Amino acid sequence: MSAVAAPVSPMLVRLAAEKATGALLRDHGTLYLVDGRVVHAESPASPGVDVLLTTGGRLPREGWDEAVDRAGAHRAVGRFLVDSGRLHDGELEICHLGAVFDAAFFALSPTSGPTRFRYGVGHWFGTVRPVSAEAVERETVRRRELLDAVWPYASVDTAPVVPRPAAPGQTVGVRQRALLAAADGERTPAELARLLGRPAFHTLLDVRRLAAAGLVETPLDPAPTPPPPPLPALPVADPDIALLRRLRDALEAHL
C-alpha cells in the first residue's frame, strides 16, 4: 500500500473540514475561504485578475476601476463585471479560476513563517466559483512536480531571465518568442508575467522549458560556504604541582 502524501497545508485541510470562512494568511499569499471552500487567492508573486483581464486586452482599465469603485464595498466586483455586460459568465469563471490556482500555487509554497487564519474576513472581489481545498492542494502538487520534471533547477524561477542565442535551426513557439523578446536580462519571471498579462506559473513553466532547451541561462547554485578553519590548539600548561599539593594537604587535614 502506498503512503499517503502529507498535505501541502495541514491548516487548510483542517479549515476545510471545519467549513470555516475567512482568510488564510501565509508568507507568500492569502487564500480566502467560504464554508471551507477556496473562493479567492492572491500572492505578490502572481498577477491578479485585474492584470490578467486588462493587460491581456479583454477589459479596459477604466472598466475594471469602475467595477471596483461601484461593487468593491459589496464584495461583488465579479458579479458587477458580468451584470454590466463587460464580461460573460464563462469568461469571468475561467479567468478567475486561473488566477486562484496561480496565486494558490505560490501562497502554498513551503515556508518557515507563521500561518494565520482570520475568521470572517472576505475579499472584495466576491465569490465566482468555489473550489475545494483538496482540488487546490492536488493542483499545487501537480504543478510542483511538472516544473521539476521539465527542468529541476528552481533557481531560474526567481533569477532575471537572461536569453541565450538559439542553435542553428532551433525554434520556439509564439508564446515563448514573446517571453524572450520581453526578457532584458533584468526582469524576473514574475515581472515578465505582469508585463505580459500572463499567469505566473505558466511563465515559470515557459522559462524552465527555455532553460532546458538552452535558450535561457540557468544560474549556478551558489558554492557551499567552506567551513571555518579550526581554531589553533591552546597550549596545555603543566599543572601547578605546588597548588595540587596544598589542595591535597588541606583535604587530608580534614579527614
Side-chain angles (χ1 to χ4, degrees):
M1 181 181 296
S2 59
V4 177
V8 174
S9 170
M11 183 177 285
L12 176 60
V13 173
R14 177 174 62 80
L15 293 167
E18 292 178 3
K19 299 188 182 303
T21 295
L24 177 62
L25 290 79
R26 291 170 58 91
D27 275 358
H28 306 296
T30 303
L31 273 65
Y32 293 85
L33 281 68
V34 172
D35 296 331
R37 295 170 70 83
V38 178
V39 297
H40 194 74
E42 56 189 14
S43 168
S46 174
V49 183
D50 59 330
V51 175
L52 298 180
L53 287 172
T54 60
T55 304
R58 180 59 190 84
L59 184 69
R61 170 52 69 172
E62 55 269 21
W64 172 266
D65 293 339
E66 181 188 3
V68 174
D69 290 341
R70 295 183 59 179
H74 306 290
R75 297 180 183 174
V77 172
R79 191 70 258 160
F80 180 88
L81 289 171
V82 173
D83 292 344
S84 62
R86 288 171 171 80
L87 292 176
H88 298 299
D89 270 319
E91 288 179 304
L92 176 65
E93 185 174 306
I94 291 172
C95 182
H96 185 252
L97 281 177
V100 167
F101 281 115
D102 197 49
F105 172 78
F106 296 98
L108 294 176
S109 60
T111 176
S112 58
T115 298
R116 305 176 301 279
F117 188 71
R118 296 176 59 191
Y119 284 91
V121 173
H123 194 273
W124 47 262
F125 189 82
T127 299
V128 177
R129 181 181 175 183
V131 183
S132 70
E134 180 186 7
V136 171
E137 288 230 342
R138 185 170 58 247
E139 180 62 13
T140 297
V141 171
R142 187 191 72 83
R143 293 184 178 206
R144 289 180 185 175
E145 293 173 347
L146 179 57
L147 286 177
D148 286 340
V150 169
W151 189 241
Y153 297 92
S155 55
V156 301
D157 295 348
T158 54
V161 179
V162 180
R164 298 180 61 188
Q170 191 175 19
T171 61
V172 296
V174 175
R175 283 179 54 85
Q176 293 178 342
R177 280 204 303 273
L179 193 156
L180 288 171
D184 58 359
E186 297 182 0
R187 296 187 180 105
T188 64
E191 291 168 334
L192 288 169
R194 284 189 173 81
L195 178 68
L196 298 170
R198 299 177 181 177
F201 170 76
H202 295 161
T203 304
L204 291 186
L205 192 57
D206 277 338
V207 169
R208 289 217 194 188
R209 284 171 173 158
L210 289 167
L215 295 171
V216 161
E217 294 281 357
T218 297
L220 296 176
D221 291 331
T225 304
L231 296 174
L234 296 175
V236 180
D238 292 334
D240 188 334
I241 301 301
L243 175 61
L244 293 177
R245 284 175 177 170
R246 288 196 300 272
L247 288 173
R248 183 197 63 190
D249 292 342
L251 290 172
E252 289 178 348
H254 287 82
L255 294 178

